[in-house]
Amino acid sequence: MDGTPTASSGTAAPATTRPAVDIVGVTKSFGGRVVLDGVDLALRSGEVHALMGANGSGKSTLIKVLSGFHAPDSGEISVGGAPIDDGRDAIAFVHQDLGLIGELTVAENFVIEERLGGLLRPVKRRDEYARVSAELSALGMPILPDTRVDQLSPVERSIVAIARCVRHASESVAVVMDEPTAALPGPEVARLFDAIRSLAGRGVAVLLVTHKLDEVFELAQHVTVLRNGQVVASQAVSALSRSELVRLIAGHTIDELAPAGRADVDGDRPRVLSVSDLRATELDGASFDVCEGEIVGLAGVEGSGYKELLHVLVGNVPKTGGTIRLAGADVGSPTPRAALDHGCVLVPADRAGQGLHLDFSLRENIGLPAAVAARPLSRIRRGDERGRVGRWMASTGVNPPEPERPAKELSGGNQQKVLLAKWLSMSPRVLLLEDPTQAVDVGARDEIHRLLLETARDGTAMVIASSDPQELSALCDRVVVMRKGRDARVLGRAEISDTAIVHASLDDEAEATTTTSREGDEQ
């Protein structure tokens, strides 16, 4: 036994006999490469059905076929027994890229979805704003409806897309959510789970595409696993253990990293990063130090500043006060170039928007920082660059290892490995990572974690801001918990656990409520 519950705690309405959505024998190829190979999948009303698989297994392509973005080469898809072309509007989607229009307001993004879907009801602005505000507040994110989407944080954009989907799902037979929790911290995840359970309870079929095992065991009644474009398992979640599901996804067993599995960091190692009384948009006096070879985690809820802090350190967000010292040198008001010159680099969570140029080749992406850091008018030898890029692709496990392939053709997990190779190739003294395994499958996650641990052993200091407490527990020597822009608590190695991180991330009022409740129970 591996300690994992073998029955889902998710609840749903009784599933009907005929599938709400039935996918039978679907195949899809690109340039002679088979991506989907005879896929069968049935979504039943009132059931949460998880779809899992390694990056590149065909999950995203299947969702794009279901949405009509790609046409299948063969096979059939029906909605409520009718061909999908007659019933696609009855399926609501939250795509991985969210499908929002940045130049429009939050409310306009809600309305335009309805108008594109053919619903031309008159819209009263005051009523619509009130409705949107209530729907967002129900998911714990009271965003102003007249805010432009491109001014929102990644978490806020995710909540907008999910709330919009939940609205339309009430009129749908099925809803498809592709990695909906990828950018969400714990409290918002809990509210989303409640919304998913509510949809299933009303008889909506839910397809949840996820890499997170805990989500499957908590929410889903059925799980389908894809590997190399084929269905390798489709069965009740209650019949599987955690280790069995991992084996189905990866094709082999994986020894998941145990928390606090690193050797102690020598306390005499030099400090390479010191932050004192740091202030910015969300920061209000944050302070901490990081030593050579140490991995320090940052945790908190949305708005606590735990992710903004990384962007302040490299100059993406201006600081308004405080001191940043890198290798003993005061960097003043940092810029991305100054941070790079001091050996501090950021691996951002937004791969497509901030991390990679998806139309560029892998060689161009990995080689870009070195080209920027090179002396003016210096010549970069293409052969030397190819050799260097090839070595970093091999060390990070990029697949396929083809330097001239465009980054957009890789799976999410391999894009993340390219992003790591891009910045590790600069041999940084301080590596900042924002949700480093977001939307990455269990196998790639394990490989990335081991790569980070090996990099730390070689002396690189790391700061990891992650919304995944399990990730922080597995990797970190210390976890700095942010609240209201300050370092509210520091968890040492012996104190770090998923529960401790989540509890310490609560605001003062929630913590006081929890404490009062606990004292009342003891009485």
Side-chain angles (χ1 to χ4, degrees):
M1 296 290 292
D2 58 8
T4 301
T6 56
S8 168
S9 59
T11 58
T16 56
T17 302
R18 185 176 71 181
V21 178
D22 201 13
I23 300 172
V24 179
V26 165
T27 63
K28 182 65 182 177
S29 299
F30 296 99
R33 183 169 64 93
V34 178
V35 180
L36 296 175
D37 188 4
V39 171
D40 296 335
L41 191 150
L43 303 182
R44 302 190 180 278
S45 298
E47 183 178 76
V48 179
H49 191 129
L51 178 62
M52 304 194 79
N55 293 109
S57 62
K59 302 186 305 299
S60 294
T61 301
L62 181 61
I63 300 308
K64 289 179 180 178
V65 168
L66 193 58
S67 69
F69 186 84
H70 292 317
D73 298 335
S74 62
E76 297 180 352
I77 305 176
S78 61
V79 179
I84 191 169
D85 288 342
D86 298 330
R88 187 171 276 119
D89 289 343
I91 306 176
F93 290 86
V94 175
H95 292 286
Q96 207 169 49
D97 63 3
L98 303 182
L100 300 173
I101 300 175
E103 294 80 6
L104 299 183
T105 68
V106 171
E108 288 168 341
N109 269 275
F110 274 72
V111 174
I112 196 170
E113 174 98 347
E114 296 175 349
R115 293 184 174 270
L116 289 174
L119 182 59
L120 299 179
R121 64 176 177 84
V123 177
K124 295 182 178 179
R125 174 169 295 192
R126 180 179 297 178
D127 293 347
E128 181 63 25
Y129 274 27
R131 185 183 180 193
V132 169
S133 181
E135 289 166 337
L136 293 169
S137 294
L139 290 174
M141 196 65 66
I143 303 165
L144 294 176
D146 58 353
T147 305
R148 278 177 47 135
V149 165
D150 57 11
Q151 296 175 349
L152 301 177
S153 71
V155 170
E156 290 171 329
R157 290 196 294 269
S158 294
I159 290 292
V160 169
I162 291 164
R164 184 178 67 175
C165 177
V166 169
R167 171 191 287 191
H168 300 142
S170 63
E171 303 167 353
S172 304
V173 300
V175 57
V176 178
M177 295 189 172
D178 192 357
E179 299 285 353
T181 65
L184 302 185
E188 283 74 21
V189 170
R191 295 185 183 100
L192 173 61
F193 284 6
D194 288 341
I196 291 174
R197 293 189 184 99
S198 176
L199 288 173
R202 297 203 301 264
V204 177
V206 180
L207 180 62
L208 177 67
V209 185
T210 182
H211 288 304
K212 298 181 179 179
L213 301 177
D214 290 343
E215 293 181 3
V216 175
F217 286 103
E218 182 168 350
L219 282 175
Q221 291 77 49
H222 202 94
V223 60
T224 295
V225 179
L226 293 182
R227 194 187 320 136
N228 299 324
Q230 297 180 327
V231 174
V232 295
S234 189
Q235 61 191 91
V237 173
S238 59
L240 289 168
S241 69
R242 185 184 184 97
S243 59
E244 289 168 336
L245 187 52
V246 169
R247 180 183 55 78
L248 288 170
I249 295 167
H252 55 83
T253 59
I254 292 177
D255 295 325
E256 295 185 87
L257 293 175
R262 284 168 30 80
D264 288 333
V265 175
D266 187 348
D268 293 332
R269 292 192 182 188
R271 295 177 184 176
V272 292
L273 171 65
S274 293
V275 174
S276 178
D277 196 30
L278 192 60
R279 301 173 185 273
T281 306
E282 294 180 349
L283 299 178
D284 187 26
S287 301
F288 66 95
D289 299 320
V290 187
C291 295
E292 184 180 274
E294 185 180 24
I295 302 180
V296 173
L298 296 178
V301 298
E302 174 68 7
S304 66
Y306 80 108
K307 288 187 177 180
E308 181 186 80
L309 197 154
L310 298 186
H311 291 269
V312 174
L313 292 177
V314 295
N316 291 341
V317 174
K319 75 180 181 74
T320 58
T323 303
I324 302 171
R325 301 182 71 85
L326 289 167
D330 187 341
V331 298
S333 295
T335 63
R337 178 57 190 261
L340 179 60
D341 290 343
H342 283 88
C344 181
V345 301
L346 169 64
V347 178
D350 185 0
R351 286 192 293 265
Q354 297 178 314
L356 298 174
H357 295 275
L358 295 182
D359 290 326
F360 284 16
S361 69
L362 308 186
R363 173 184 57 78
E364 290 168 327
N365 271 287
I366 296 173
L368 186 59
V372 170
R375 294 192 305 273
L377 303 180
S378 62
R379 181 181 178 186
I380 298 176
R381 298 180 183 275
R382 182 65 60 87
D384 293 344
E385 183 188 45
R386 281 196 181 123
R388 177 172 163 274
V389 166
R391 289 191 297 274
W392 278 106
M393 288 175 64
S395 67
T396 53
V398 174
N399 186 37
E402 301 172 6
E404 301 307 318
R405 179 183 286 265
K408 64 184 178 184
E409 295 183 4
L410 268 60
S411 66
N414 281 293
Q415 287 179 359
Q416 188 68 12
K417 292 176 183 178
V418 171
L419 187 54
L420 284 168
K422 170 182 176 178
W423 290 114
L424 287 174
S425 69
M426 299 303 293
S427 301
R429 296 195 68 177
V430 180
L431 181 63
L432 311 176
L433 302 114
E434 181 184 12
D435 279 325
T437 58
Q438 176 178 294
V440 167
D441 70 75
V442 64
R445 172 188 170 97
D446 180 75
E447 292 173 0
I448 290 171
H449 281 180
R450 294 181 189 280
L451 174 64
L452 295 179
L453 292 173
E454 181 181 340
T455 303
R457 281 193 292 270
D458 290 339
T460 301
M462 295 186 196
V463 182
I464 302 177
S466 177
S467 54
D468 183 354
Q470 288 187 340
E471 181 162 68
L472 297 176
S473 296
L475 294 175
C476 296
D477 301 296
R478 288 183 292 133
V479 174
V480 177
V481 180
M482 302 287 294
R483 265 193 258 132
K484 300 178 181 178
R486 297 174 178 239
D487 46 308
R489 184 175 175 188
V490 179
L491 300 175
R493 175 76 64 80
E495 301 172 287
I496 297 174
S497 70
D498 304 353
T499 303
I501 292 171
V502 172
H503 180 73
S505 298
L506 298 174
D507 61 23
D508 294 330
E509 181 179 349
E511 184 172 322
T513 301
T514 303
T515 302
T516 302
S517 175
R518 187 188 308 115
E519 290 172 349
D521 291 342
E522 290 173 352
Q523 293 173 2

